[in-house]
Amino acid sequence: MKALKLTVILLLLTVNFVYQAAAQAETKIKWFGHAAFSITTPKGKVLLIDPWIKNPLNPEAKDGKDALASVSKIDYILLTHGHRDHVGDAVEIAKKTGAILICNPELAGNLVKLADFPSKQAETDAIMGIGGEIQIADGEVTVAMTAAIHSSSVFNPKAGSTEAERAYGGNPAGFVLIIKNGPTVYHSGDTAYFKDMETIGEQYQIDLALLNIGGHFGMEPRMAAKAAKSVGAKLAIPQHYATFPGITVNSDSFAAELKILKIPFYEMKPGEIITFRGKQMVKK
Ligand SMILES: [Zn+2]
């Protein structure tokens, strides 16, 4: 009986220890402005999404600073689609860091062929399609590629006068990133609203949704708030606004709409880093 008691106590202590360790695990998310985010996992792997680091909102890209200085260690580059404001500085960063590319095969192929993306980093089993899930970072992160309603083409910097300036970029996408001992994050890419976002919410427990609110080319703020509801986001952060003329200038109407829907909202400043402990955002 005593031995049993001791075993139970030891087991409870172990469970508590594992629980505490998981609760202490920190995930850091940085916004560079526009659709560009980096996510540092509890084990220190760095994922970079839609890396237009030299966008005009990024304070690290101003006053002649070396904008890419802060992206020296990148393990994976994720691209939602081929437009220039999303591919951004991916080629330069890939060359500098050796990061593995995660996107659809057509986009990867044309980035190698037309934009000199390092082929070894673009031809791995991290190339995927919508509906698929892959494990990366030694199983610490599951990446699910989700649908997006938009377009996708690759700018061809080598196009001659008789060639098309835009090559095929496959289908545009979004991503759900399930991080062990961290939040599950949805990045919507540059999508329009679609009712099937509800399926994303049924399939995954979205702790944080990074939603494009720029309008004009994608979701208007009101529909982006509806997207937050459809995916069941516990917290919504806006992206893809105020970067260039013609798109939404601030997040006010998105915030107001979310308030009506009773969905927590947080506005990041370009260059800001937020911290999650487990699935909860904690103070910076
Ligand atoms: Zn865009």
Side-chain angles (χ1 to χ4, degrees), residues 34-35 50 80-81 83-86 150 189-190 212 217 240 244:
H34 209 57
D50 287 355
T80 59
H81 63 294
H83 292 161
R84 267 188 285 188
D85 59 321
H86 296 260
H150 194 55
D190 202 354
N212 57 301
F217 302 102
H240 206 292
F244 43 72

PDB file of all heavy atoms in Angstrom, residues 34-35 50 80-81 83-86 150 189-190 212 217 240 244, ligand 1:
ATOM      1  N   HIS A  34       3.184  44.611 -43.039  1.00  0.00           N
ATOM      2  CA  HIS A  34       2.505  43.910 -44.128  1.00  0.00           C
ATOM      3  C   HIS A  34       2.130  42.472 -43.726  1.00  0.00           C
ATOM      4  O   HIS A  34       1.573  42.281 -42.646  1.00  0.00           O
ATOM      5  CB  HIS A  34       3.338  43.958 -45.420  1.00  0.00           C
ATOM      6  CG  HIS A  34       2.462  43.898 -46.634  1.00  0.00           C
ATOM      7  ND1 HIS A  34       1.461  44.803 -46.874  1.00  0.00           N
ATOM      8  CD2 HIS A  34       2.398  43.012 -47.658  1.00  0.00           C
ATOM      9  CE1 HIS A  34       0.834  44.490 -47.992  1.00  0.00           C
ATOM     10  NE2 HIS A  34       1.373  43.402 -48.487  1.00  0.00           N
ATOM     11  N   ALA A  35       2.476  41.448 -44.518  1.00  0.00           N
ATOM     12  CA  ALA A  35       2.057  40.081 -44.171  1.00  0.00           C
ATOM     13  C   ALA A  35       3.209  39.279 -43.556  1.00  0.00           C
ATOM     14  O   ALA A  35       3.105  38.070 -43.372  1.00  0.00           O
ATOM     15  CB  ALA A  35       1.538  39.367 -45.420  1.00  0.00           C
ATOM     16  N   ASP A  50       5.834  34.938 -45.526  1.00  0.00           N
ATOM     17  CA  ASP A  50       5.698  36.054 -46.479  1.00  0.00           C
ATOM     18  C   ASP A  50       6.701  37.187 -46.221  1.00  0.00           C
ATOM     19  O   ASP A  50       6.316  38.327 -45.928  1.00  0.00           O
ATOM     20  CB  ASP A  50       4.249  36.581 -46.460  1.00  0.00           C
ATOM     21  CG  ASP A  50       3.289  35.617 -47.156  1.00  0.00           C
ATOM     22  OD1 ASP A  50       3.749  34.613 -47.732  1.00  0.00           O
ATOM     23  OD2 ASP A  50       2.072  35.863 -47.127  1.00  0.00           O
ATOM     24  N   THR A  80       2.653  32.214 -48.881  1.00  0.00           N
ATOM     25  CA  THR A  80       1.235  31.940 -49.141  1.00  0.00           C
ATOM     26  C   THR A  80       0.936  31.966 -50.639  1.00  0.00           C
ATOM     27  O   THR A  80       0.094  31.234 -51.114  1.00  0.00           O
ATOM     28  CB  THR A  80       0.332  32.970 -48.432  1.00  0.00           C
ATOM     29  OG1 THR A  80       0.649  34.295 -48.903  1.00  0.00           O
ATOM     30  CG2 THR A  80       0.522  32.917 -46.915  1.00  0.00           C
ATOM     31  N   HIS A  81       1.641  32.858 -51.367  1.00  0.00           N
ATOM     32  CA  HIS A  81       1.465  32.923 -52.825  1.00  0.00           C
ATOM     33  C   HIS A  81       2.601  33.733 -53.425  1.00  0.00           C
ATOM     34  O   HIS A  81       3.491  34.187 -52.705  1.00  0.00           O
ATOM     35  CB  HIS A  81       0.084  33.480 -53.194  1.00  0.00           C
ATOM     36  CG  HIS A  81      -0.165  34.891 -52.739  1.00  0.00           C
ATOM     37  ND1 HIS A  81      -0.247  35.249 -51.408  1.00  0.00           N
ATOM     38  CD2 HIS A  81      -0.349  36.044 -53.442  1.00  0.00           C
ATOM     39  CE1 HIS A  81      -0.469  36.549 -51.318  1.00  0.00           C
ATOM     40  NE2 HIS A  81      -0.533  37.053 -52.535  1.00  0.00           N
ATOM     41  N   HIS A  83       2.866  36.695 -55.172  1.00  0.00           N
ATOM     42  CA  HIS A  83       2.943  38.149 -55.406  1.00  0.00           C
ATOM     43  C   HIS A  83       4.131  38.760 -54.679  1.00  0.00           C
ATOM     44  O   HIS A  83       4.539  38.296 -53.618  1.00  0.00           O
ATOM     45  CB  HIS A  83       1.640  38.822 -54.957  1.00  0.00           C
ATOM     46  CG  HIS A  83       0.469  38.449 -55.819  1.00  0.00           C
ATOM     47  ND1 HIS A  83      -0.838  38.591 -55.426  1.00  0.00           N
ATOM     48  CD2 HIS A  83       0.428  37.900 -57.069  1.00  0.00           C
ATOM     49  CE1 HIS A  83      -1.644  38.185 -56.395  1.00  0.00           C
ATOM     50  NE2 HIS A  83      -0.901  37.752 -57.400  1.00  0.00           N
ATOM     51  N   ARG A  84       4.614  39.829 -55.266  1.00  0.00           N
ATOM     52  CA  ARG A  84       5.865  40.438 -54.786  1.00  0.00           C
ATOM     53  C   ARG A  84       5.807  40.914 -53.341  1.00  0.00           C
ATOM     54  O   ARG A  84       6.812  40.891 -52.642  1.00  0.00           O
ATOM     55  CB  ARG A  84       6.249  41.614 -55.694  1.00  0.00           C
ATOM     56  CG  ARG A  84       7.192  41.165 -56.791  1.00  0.00           C
ATOM     57  CD  ARG A  84       7.726  42.347 -57.561  1.00  0.00           C
ATOM     58  NE  ARG A  84       6.706  42.890 -58.458  1.00  0.00           N
ATOM     59  CZ  ARG A  84       6.946  43.829 -59.355  1.00  0.00           C
ATOM     60  NH1 ARG A  84       8.152  44.353 -59.450  1.00  0.00           N
ATOM     61  NH2 ARG A  84       5.996  44.270 -60.150  1.00  0.00           N
ATOM     62  N   ASP A  85       4.600  41.356 -52.894  1.00  0.00           N
ATOM     63  CA  ASP A  85       4.501  41.850 -51.504  1.00  0.00           C
ATOM     64  C   ASP A  85       4.451  40.691 -50.502  1.00  0.00           C
ATOM     65  O   ASP A  85       4.368  40.914 -49.295  1.00  0.00           O
ATOM     66  CB  ASP A  85       3.305  42.811 -51.330  1.00  0.00           C
ATOM     67  CG  ASP A  85       1.967  42.177 -51.665  1.00  0.00           C
ATOM     68  OD1 ASP A  85       1.894  41.394 -52.639  1.00  0.00           O
ATOM     69  OD2 ASP A  85       0.981  42.466 -50.958  1.00  0.00           O
ATOM     70  N   HIS A  86       4.545  39.442 -51.011  1.00  0.00           N
ATOM     71  CA  HIS A  86       4.564  38.260 -50.129  1.00  0.00           C
ATOM     72  C   HIS A  86       5.860  37.461 -50.276  1.00  0.00           C
ATOM     73  O   HIS A  86       6.453  37.046 -49.291  1.00  0.00           O
ATOM     74  CB  HIS A  86       3.328  37.394 -50.399  1.00  0.00           C
ATOM     75  CG  HIS A  86       2.070  38.116 -50.048  1.00  0.00           C
ATOM     76  ND1 HIS A  86       1.392  37.910 -48.867  1.00  0.00           N
ATOM     77  CD2 HIS A  86       1.396  39.111 -50.702  1.00  0.00           C
ATOM     78  CE1 HIS A  86       0.355  38.748 -48.799  1.00  0.00           C
ATOM     79  NE2 HIS A  86       0.335  39.475 -49.906  1.00  0.00           N
ATOM     80  N   HIS A 150      -7.803  34.148 -53.988  1.00  0.00           N
ATOM     81  CA  HIS A 150      -6.954  35.270 -54.403  1.00  0.00           C
ATOM     82  C   HIS A 150      -6.393  34.870 -55.761  1.00  0.00           C
ATOM     83  O   HIS A 150      -6.962  34.010 -56.446  1.00  0.00           O
ATOM     84  CB  HIS A 150      -5.847  35.455 -53.345  1.00  0.00           C
ATOM     85  CG  HIS A 150      -5.089  36.745 -53.434  1.00  0.00           C
ATOM     86  ND1 HIS A 150      -5.693  37.970 -53.419  1.00  0.00           N
ATOM     87  CD2 HIS A 150      -3.754  37.006 -53.489  1.00  0.00           C
ATOM     88  CE1 HIS A 150      -4.768  38.916 -53.482  1.00  0.00           C
ATOM     89  NE2 HIS A 150      -3.570  38.358 -53.533  1.00  0.00           N
ATOM     90  N   GLY A 189      -2.892  34.677 -45.381  1.00  0.00           N
ATOM     91  CA  GLY A 189      -2.344  35.052 -46.686  1.00  0.00           C
ATOM     92  C   GLY A 189      -2.989  36.345 -47.154  1.00  0.00           C
ATOM     93  O   GLY A 189      -3.056  37.319 -46.411  1.00  0.00           O
ATOM     94  N   ASP A 190      -3.515  36.341 -48.355  1.00  0.00           N
ATOM     95  CA  ASP A 190      -4.147  37.547 -48.921  1.00  0.00           C
ATOM     96  C   ASP A 190      -5.507  37.165 -49.498  1.00  0.00           C
ATOM     97  O   ASP A 190      -5.818  37.487 -50.634  1.00  0.00           O
ATOM     98  CB  ASP A 190      -3.226  38.131 -50.010  1.00  0.00           C
ATOM     99  CG  ASP A 190      -3.513  39.604 -50.266  1.00  0.00           C
ATOM    100  OD1 ASP A 190      -4.470  40.130 -49.691  1.00  0.00           O
ATOM    101  OD2 ASP A 190      -2.760  40.212 -51.043  1.00  0.00           O
ATOM    102  N   ASN A 212      -5.538  39.264 -42.962  1.00  0.00           N
ATOM    103  CA  ASN A 212      -5.337  40.379 -43.887  1.00  0.00           C
ATOM    104  C   ASN A 212      -6.595  41.250 -43.897  1.00  0.00           C
ATOM    105  O   ASN A 212      -7.705  40.745 -44.072  1.00  0.00           O
ATOM    106  CB  ASN A 212      -5.009  39.871 -45.298  1.00  0.00           C
ATOM    107  CG  ASN A 212      -6.050  38.938 -45.878  1.00  0.00           C
ATOM    108  OD1 ASN A 212      -6.324  37.887 -45.299  1.00  0.00           O
ATOM    109  ND2 ASN A 212      -6.652  39.294 -46.999  1.00  0.00           N
ATOM    110  N   PHE A 217      -7.635  44.329 -52.683  1.00  0.00           N
ATOM    111  CA  PHE A 217      -7.159  43.092 -53.333  1.00  0.00           C
ATOM    112  C   PHE A 217      -7.600  41.846 -52.563  1.00  0.00           C
ATOM    113  O   PHE A 217      -7.433  40.723 -53.047  1.00  0.00           O
ATOM    114  CB  PHE A 217      -5.626  43.087 -53.427  1.00  0.00           C
ATOM    115  CG  PHE A 217      -5.068  44.259 -54.187  1.00  0.00           C
ATOM    116  CD1 PHE A 217      -4.511  45.334 -53.509  1.00  0.00           C
ATOM    117  CD2 PHE A 217      -5.107  44.292 -55.575  1.00  0.00           C
ATOM    118  CE1 PHE A 217      -4.001  46.425 -54.208  1.00  0.00           C
ATOM    119  CE2 PHE A 217      -4.597  45.378 -56.279  1.00  0.00           C
ATOM    120  CZ  PHE A 217      -4.046  46.449 -55.596  1.00  0.00           C
ATOM    121  N   HIS A 240      -1.390  43.159 -43.297  1.00  0.00           N
ATOM    122  CA  HIS A 240      -1.640  43.550 -44.691  1.00  0.00           C
ATOM    123  C   HIS A 240      -2.476  44.815 -44.794  1.00  0.00           C
ATOM    124  O   HIS A 240      -3.506  44.862 -45.455  1.00  0.00           O
ATOM    125  CB  HIS A 240      -2.310  42.385 -45.451  1.00  0.00           C
ATOM    126  CG  HIS A 240      -2.069  42.394 -46.946  1.00  0.00           C
ATOM    127  ND1 HIS A 240      -2.592  43.350 -47.779  1.00  0.00           N
ATOM    128  CD2 HIS A 240      -1.383  41.557 -47.749  1.00  0.00           C
ATOM    129  CE1 HIS A 240      -2.222  43.090 -49.021  1.00  0.00           C
ATOM    130  NE2 HIS A 240      -1.481  42.016 -49.033  1.00  0.00           N
ATOM    131  N   PHE A 244       0.891  50.435 -48.398  1.00  0.00           N
ATOM    132  CA  PHE A 244       0.986  51.234 -49.630  1.00  0.00           C
ATOM    133  C   PHE A 244      -0.394  51.820 -49.956  1.00  0.00           C
ATOM    134  O   PHE A 244      -1.404  51.359 -49.421  1.00  0.00           O
ATOM    135  CB  PHE A 244       1.556  50.404 -50.796  1.00  0.00           C
ATOM    136  CG  PHE A 244       1.007  49.007 -50.933  1.00  0.00           C
ATOM    137  CD1 PHE A 244      -0.288  48.782 -51.391  1.00  0.00           C
ATOM    138  CD2 PHE A 244       1.795  47.903 -50.602  1.00  0.00           C
ATOM    139  CE1 PHE A 244      -0.789  47.498 -51.520  1.00  0.00           C
ATOM    140  CE2 PHE A 244       1.294  46.605 -50.730  1.00  0.00           C
ATOM    141  CZ  PHE A 244       0.004  46.410 -51.187  1.00  0.00           C
TER     142      PHE A 244
HETATM  143 ZN    ZN B   1      -0.768  41.025 -50.837  1.00  0.00          ZN
END
